[in-house]
Structure formats: C-alpha cells, structure tokens
C-alpha cells in the first residue's frame, strides 16, 4: 500500500488527522522535497521536528530519486505500507500523478489523503477562486535560457478579465550544467524565486513581446509563506512591488484581472501604502 499524504502549507502540525494516522501505520516514510517545501524548511532541526511529530524516521526524496529511482519505494509498497509525504496537496504537481500511474502498473494499491495547497489557500487574498485563468509557472532565467511560453497564457486570461496565479521557481539539489557535461553531478545551492525577481522577468518578457498583456502599472498581489503564521500579502502595481521585501520563501504572485466590488474591498486591505 502506498499512501500519498498531503502535508498542507505551514509546518508539521498542518497534516490532517487521517494523514497522521496513515503515516504512523507505515513501515517506511518518504518526503518529497523539490516541488515545494514547508515553511520550516528541511534543515536537520526542522526534519527532526517532523519526525518527532509523526513518530517516524523520514527519508527525504529529491527530484532524482522520485523521477529516476521511484521503483525502489514502489517495490517496498508491494508488501508493506509506505507513505510518500507531499507539501500542499498530493496532486499539486504532475510528478505525483506519474507516481500513481507507475504504482498502479506495478499492482500497488494507492490511497491519497488530501490537504490545503496554494491552489485553494490563495483565496485568502480575497480574489474569487473561480475568477482565475490558467495557472502558470515562472522559471529562473539564465544567460542562455529565457523561456516565455507563459506570456500567451497570461495574455489570454487578461483578455477574459481573469486573475493569473504565478507559481515561482524553486531549485533544490539541482545539478550544475558544467557537472552534467563532466558526468559527475555537483549540485547548485538551493534557490527560491522571489516576487521581485518574478516581476522583473515578467516585465522583460512584456518588453520583448509588446503585447500589452500587463505592464509596470498592472495591479498584482505578492504572497509569501502562504498558510504560515507570518504570511505576507501585499497588493499594488508591479513597479511598486519590485521594492517590497517579502522575506523568506516560498513566494507566489497574482496578476489581478477584472475585480468584483467585494474583491476590490479585500484588495484595499492589502494595498501598498
């Protein structure tokens, strides 16, 4: 049996009672650590807090393990109960759908235990969830790789008056290009995209395309540490949010579309002064 358990967004206490019961029954517990992270991070002290709360030793599963070596975990789930912990909700990332497909193809029974994710918790900003268009991801630009496929999606949502949720890149245990060329992996330091970096990249892409999908005066909402006690939400034009210190990760950004009067009232609570 493979349990895929959502952990929510804040800290180790955000797991559901049902999820905690499942974890405590399991012989082996893995925690996915590359599509998102809990606000407490994954340093040894934070991992120890999780293990104390759950009463289990936790094996951290990075991208390489989940995408290339998941068969080991799935083989263990053939004859024993195994938990795979996911920050947010289990199906917030396509990788986890692939894991379910692979498990079922091996004859492993799968049970999913849901939790809050950025996709619904972002409702705290006051924008109605059914007024969002397609969610986009913004990756870190490099000198040679500056993808902008998200631009058309933003443009389409803006034409319909819809809001756009932008999920911002995190890079945890990512091999450097140079090390891949040499055939011996060396990993980059962890990096977490800020609201400020996301806006800078968005404005660069708008300048390149010139399609008026958005601009420096477009209203946005920057969100940091959603679901945590110290979450931060600031609304304002892009050019003003560039100068806001949103603090520690994780961050996301909302490009605001047309607003209902009630949405507008909520926006005022978060508007930059």
């Amino acid at each position: 049996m493979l349990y895929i358990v959502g952990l929510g967004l804040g800290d180790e206490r955000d797991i559901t009672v049902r999820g905690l019961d499942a974890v405590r029954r399991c012989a082996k517990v893995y925690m996915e650590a590359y599509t998102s992270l809990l606000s407490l991070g994954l340093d040894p002290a934070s991992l120890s807090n999780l293990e104390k709360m759950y009463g289990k030793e936790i094996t951290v599963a990075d991208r390489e393990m989940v995408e290339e070596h998941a068969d080991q975990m799935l083989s263990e789930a053939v004859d024993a109960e195994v938990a795979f912990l996911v920050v947010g909700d289990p199906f917030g990332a396509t990788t986890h759908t692939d894991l379910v497909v692979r498990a079922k193809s091996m004859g492993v029974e799968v049970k999913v235990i849901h939790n809050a994710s950025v996709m619904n918790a972002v409702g705290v900003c006051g924008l109605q969830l059914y007024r969002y268009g397609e969610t986009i991801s913004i990756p870190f630009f490099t000198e040679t790789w500056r993808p902008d496929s998200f631009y058309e999606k933003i443009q389409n949502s803006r034409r319909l008056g819809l809001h756009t949720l932008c999920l911002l890149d995190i890079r945890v245990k990512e091999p450097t290009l140079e090390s891949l060329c040499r055939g011996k992996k060396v990993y980059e330091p962890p990096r977490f995209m800020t609201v400020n970096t996301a806006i800078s990249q968005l404005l660069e892409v708008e300048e390149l395309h010139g399609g008026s999908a958005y601009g420096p005066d477009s209203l946005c909402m920057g969100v940091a540490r959603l679901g945590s006690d110290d979450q931060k939400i600031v609304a304002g034009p892009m050019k003003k949010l560039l100068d806001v210190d949103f603090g520690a990760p994780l961050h996301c950004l909302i490009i605001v579309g047309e607003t209902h009067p009630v949405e507008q009232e909520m926006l005022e609570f978060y508007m930059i002064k």
Side-chain angles (χ1 to χ4, degrees):
M1 170 74 76
L2 177 66
Y3 291 96
I4 305 183
V5 182
L7 297 182
L9 297 171
D11 57 29
E12 70 275 9
R13 298 169 297 169
D14 281 7
I15 191 171
T16 64
V17 174
R18 186 162 168 251
L20 185 58
D21 287 344
V23 169
R24 288 176 173 170
R25 284 198 303 270
C26 288
K28 197 74 180 283
V29 179
Y30 295 88
M31 180 172 178
E32 185 263 287
Y34 65 90
T35 62
S36 189
L37 294 173
L38 289 174
S39 62
L40 47 75
L42 273 181
D43 59 80
S46 299
L47 191 59
S48 177
N49 287 340
L50 289 169
E51 292 177 330
K52 288 177 183 176
M53 173 75 179
Y54 303 158
K56 292 287 181 178
E57 182 178 344
I58 297 173
T59 300
V60 176
D62 58 25
R63 181 188 298 275
E64 183 177 325
M65 181 199 157
V66 176
E67 295 186 348
E68 298 177 22
H69 306 292
D71 287 350
Q72 175 189 337
M73 177 177 67
L74 297 178
S75 295
E76 293 169 346
V78 171
D79 300 312
E81 292 184 309
V82 174
F84 184 67
L85 311 182
V86 178
V87 175
D89 185 79
F91 292 118
T94 54
T95 295
H96 308 135
T97 305
D98 177 67
L99 188 64
V100 172
V101 171
R102 292 164 72 179
K104 289 183 178 293
S105 69
M106 292 175 62
V108 176
E109 187 177 355
V110 179
K111 285 192 176 179
V112 177
I113 300 175
H114 295 281
N115 209 319
S117 78
V118 63
M119 304 295 286
N120 55 17
V122 76
V124 72
C125 296
L127 301 178
Q128 297 168 5
L129 292 179
Y130 59 84
R131 291 289 300 161
Y132 280 82
E134 187 171 354
T135 299
I136 67 160
S137 296
I138 302 178
F140 278 113
F141 285 177
T142 69
E143 290 183 5
T144 57
W145 189 65
R146 308 177 90 76
D148 58 6
S149 59
F150 52 77
Y151 182 81
E152 185 178 354
K153 297 174 183 179
I154 298 173
Q155 195 170 43
N156 289 339
S157 292
R158 298 280 285 175
R159 286 172 181 155
L160 294 171
L162 302 177
H163 316 305
T164 302
L165 173 61
C166 308
L167 304 180
L168 310 187
D169 201 4
I170 71 170
R171 299 185 65 81
V172 179
K173 203 177 177 184
E174 296 284 349
T176 64
L177 180 59
E178 182 181 0
S179 73
L180 288 174
C181 294
R182 292 180 176 180
K184 185 176 181 180
K185 290 182 180 178
V186 176
Y187 297 101
E188 302 174 355
R191 298 172 65 202
F192 306 94
M193 185 180 287
T194 63
V195 167
N196 320 79
T197 297
I199 290 175
S200 293
Q201 293 188 180
L202 284 168
L203 291 175
E204 177 185 323
V205 171
E206 173 57 51
E207 186 173 351
L208 176 67
H209 283 266
S212 300
Y214 51 82
D217 293 316
S218 295
L219 181 60
C220 291
M221 301 187 80
V223 183
R225 300 171 302 284
L226 182 63
S228 301
D229 291 338
D230 66 341
Q231 71 180 14
K232 184 170 186 173
I233 304 171
V234 182
M238 282 187 171
K239 62 185 179 185
K240 288 192 176 181
L241 294 186
L242 276 171
D243 297 324
V244 175
D245 181 2
F246 285 90
L250 296 173
H251 295 185
C252 63
L253 176 71
I254 303 163
I255 302 173
V256 180
E258 296 174 7
T259 54
H260 183 277
V262 175
E263 290 179 305
Q264 193 59 45
E265 286 183 43
M266 283 291 290
L267 273 169
E268 293 300 324
F269 290 116
Y270 299 118
M271 199 66 69
I272 193 168
K273 306 304 180 186

